[in-house]
Amino acid sequence: MEENDPQRKKSSISSPEDALQILRSQPDRTTLSKVLQYFDVPVERSNSFNIRRPSPEAALLINTLLGPILSDYWKLLESEALESSSRAVDCLRFLNCLRGINGLGAIEARLRRLLDSAREANVQTKEATIIPVLDLLDVLAHLFSSDGFLRNTWSDLERSASKDAERKLQWRELASLLCSGRLLSVAAEACVFARSLDKEVLGDWLGDGAAYARWLGRNIAAMVLNLQEEEKACWEAPALLFEKSFGLGYTDELVEQIGQSLLVGEASSWSQLQKLLRSISRHQQRQFLHSVLRLLSKRLPTKCNPASNQPSAAAALLAGIVEENNFLKDTLVEWLTGTSSGGSLNVTVSIAAIAALSTDHERVQTILIKSLQNFGDKLYIKHVPMLLQEANTQVVLLSAGCIHRSNSSFLENIARSSIYLQAISNRLGASFPRSRLLGMIVGTAISKLIDPADKRMDFGLDLDNDEVRWYIDLISVSMKIGNPTDLNIFSTQIPPTSSTPTNKKREDLPRRKKPSNTKTGVTPRAKLIQDVSSAQTDLKHGLIPYEKPDSDPEDEDDDPTLVNRSKLSRPVYIRDLITSLRDSDNYERQQLALSTFASLIRRKASFGTEVADHIEELASLLTGLHDKFEMENFDTMRSQGMIALLIAQPVRMGQWYSRAFFDGDYSISQRISILSTLGLGARELAGFKDDDDDEGGVEGGVIGKTNKLNSTTPTEAFPSKLLPGELHRTYHEHFEGHHQQRSTLTPVQNVAKKLERMMIQPLAIEAAESLNDGRDILKVGKVSTKPLEKRRHTKKKEVMMKNDLAKIAAEGFFYPLIGGWWIQLKSS
């Protein structure tokens, strides 16, 4: 009797096929618990079925678990885990089935499928789709709630994979899913979709790139601390994750979490970090070191305090990273002496970097020689920003003091070499007072180290000045390596990721408000008007003759090899515009780029970040462009383009044009065009229109005025349709006569007529109305076909003028111009 019981047959599980059949047949709670218990088998048993091992049966089972089982039982499993009931273990078993490449890949694929179907669905369908999306995010948040997720996954993979190649293949696929942005991107899209429907998200950190990178950093660090083997093959797994994690774009957050666990942790973790760094490529090693230097520059104090142990602790940190790694040591030397970096703007970091290399005398000497070469280079003095020159000066003084304490004879030889003497000479002959001051400081400081008191260089510096005394004291800063545990640059607070299924309820989560959707303005497309002429047909022969081809001036070339039949198209992307402007030997490309420059910039200014990312490069190319081909309307097109850039980013470009006017290498005409751009752009931002035309014929704002100022022939409007012949001639002659009558007036007469219309005529009308003795009410106004509300709206629109210049006039125009003028006045 028991063997014939259908429920008992349904509950008996001896193979994956039985489990799949049970899951598809809407199992009850007890049956589901037995299925999950069947899946939860030790991975050491090679003869048993492992749902986390890739196979066709495992894929079918996981898809079934994420389909009907997830929608039917996930809330129940989660609530049982939160209540710590006797069945709470089933929630962990369910999550263990998904811990692996099978489960994570299926979650990512199902999320993409749901989001693709909901993207173009109606409101009701979206409300139905959001439920499984939220459930999948909850499952991911619970899976990633532990910092040992990757460590446990790797341990399971080592025990379950029978072959080394199989294990490497699965791990590479898992690294691609977790560290290449695939899972992050789909989770972020799911979070945005949930918030758009005003739904709360438990694992909202999954869509935050910075928080996700911190989670990866903690997991990689936990995995590294668990490795004890010395073989290189054992370090390939965390190294692969670490390398791919740099591609997420959140390097500082990733390094910060790894540093919290490995750099400032136990002393034994230093060797683990060094093994990890040796296992990754040199490019990632350089990225790691630069990220640590950026963190030090942000967190350490900018002024060096002799009583503080922060520089020595930072030196110990850097020394531990570059220990027994010649490539990282060379990278640190390059960072200290590079022309684009020249050390850190934070002097404490420069002290720590030189102290970390203080025991390597050859590299410290290299630092001094290279920094002195940069210090005395004329191009470096003239073009490199002063902040970087000051940082390079600090490196010179710090390295000189370090060498003097270890090998004073080498410093004496350097002080009498041509590199040093030429550097001081170039500095003293510089045109900028600040550059000369830095040269005097370096000369005084090094002379203080090697020369007797009666033979030291004296440039007449005020040694009581705080800044001069601070620079000279850098040569006596001690280079000590302290204890890295005294360093507090790494935050000890772990950012919230997710709660485990046993310590947080969904009802306790803060409800997120629906973000306001700002409608972006869409420019309507212009209609394409085509004039289709009817072709005459030869009905007699039933043949349609071909139209006469247009004359092609390129065919008139005698040599057919010289004919260029490649037709250029208008640039539609900013990168195409930059390429066309750089092609200074192609007339057609430059002419096409200039003619479409202003319209393209104005169209893309409020759409995306394409213009903002390349706006300074565009301004530099356009301002320095020369009329090599004597192009028609060249100045007009360049002026319109420069104004369009100013309108797109008023504050940023106003400051850039001001700097370019005073400091840029431009001719007089180019500087005048910069001033014209600032003036005409400010006029357009203020909302003024071109009212020089008395009849209101041109109301194109700044562009219309620019055309009138730069063009020699009056522009004519393009007619969309022409009147019949007789009417066209009548009205055209009337318009021409009116235009000729107005053009015969001198500018003084035009101004007199304008003043008469604006001042005298209103006074005459007011005087006439005062004599009417209250009979104005009997006057009959003009009949208008416009509704009353529309006329009021039009009148109000004419009175009100939008003035965007008032908000940014000081920051974008006035202060930069006055500041540049004042600096030039003081330096002359």
Side-chain angles (χ1 to χ4, degrees), residues 599-611:
S599 60
L600 183 63
I601 295 300
R602 289 177 181 269
R603 188 170 68 250
K604 287 182 172 286
S606 58
F607 181 77
T609 62
E610 192 176 6
V611 173

Side-chain angles (χ1 to χ4, degrees), residues 10 88 149 385 387 412 462 464 499 545 590 616 622 697 703 714 719 728:
K10 185 178 179 181
F149 171 79
L387 286 176
E412 293 177 1
D462 184 9
D464 295 332
S499 59
Q590 285 222 338
E616 292 186 1
L622 197 60
I703 299 302
H728 173 70

Side-chain angles (χ1 to χ4, degrees), residues 156 206 253 308 340 376 457 484 530 554 621 628 715 739 814:
D156 292 346
L206 291 168
E253 289 80 3
S308 175
S340 59
M457 288 186 180
Q530 294 181 348
E554 295 174 347
L621 286 173
K628 179 179 179 181
T715 57
H739 180 75
F814 184 77

Side-chain angles (χ1 to χ4, degrees), residues 401-501:
C402 181
I403 291 175
H404 177 70
R405 287 186 291 272
S406 61
N407 189 0
S408 58
S409 61
F410 180 82
L411 183 62
E412 293 177 1
N413 294 333
I414 286 292
R416 291 170 176 80
S417 65
S418 61
I419 297 177
Y420 174 76
L421 297 176
Q422 189 67 31
I424 299 298
S425 176
N426 291 342
R427 281 284 170 174
L428 296 178
S431 58
F432 299 105
R434 186 68 178 175
S435 300
R436 295 195 296 269
L437 176 63
L438 294 178
M440 296 177 189
I441 290 174
V442 171
T444 302
I446 294 182
S447 179
K448 181 180 178 182
L449 289 175
I450 64 175
D451 295 332
D454 56 340
K455 295 183 179 180
R456 292 175 184 173
M457 288 186 180
D458 185 9
F459 297 101
L461 287 176
D462 184 9
L463 298 180
D464 295 332
N465 183 277
D466 294 338
E467 183 183 15
V468 174
R469 188 170 62 253
W470 180 84
Y471 269 100
I472 295 178
D473 289 343
L474 290 178
I475 59 177
S476 58
V477 173
S478 61
M479 302 292 177
K480 297 186 299 182
I481 297 180
N483 190 354
T485 56
D486 297 335
L487 199 62
N488 55 1
I489 66 162
F490 299 108
S491 61
T492 56
Q493 297 179 355
I494 298 177
T497 56
S498 170
S499 59
T500 57

Side-chain angles (χ1 to χ4, degrees), residues 680 683 690 692 698 700-710:
L680 296 176
R683 187 175 183 272
D690 189 2
D692 292 345
V698 180
V702 174
I703 299 302
K705 188 171 184 69
T706 307
N707 285 331
K708 290 177 64 179
L709 291 175
N710 293 281

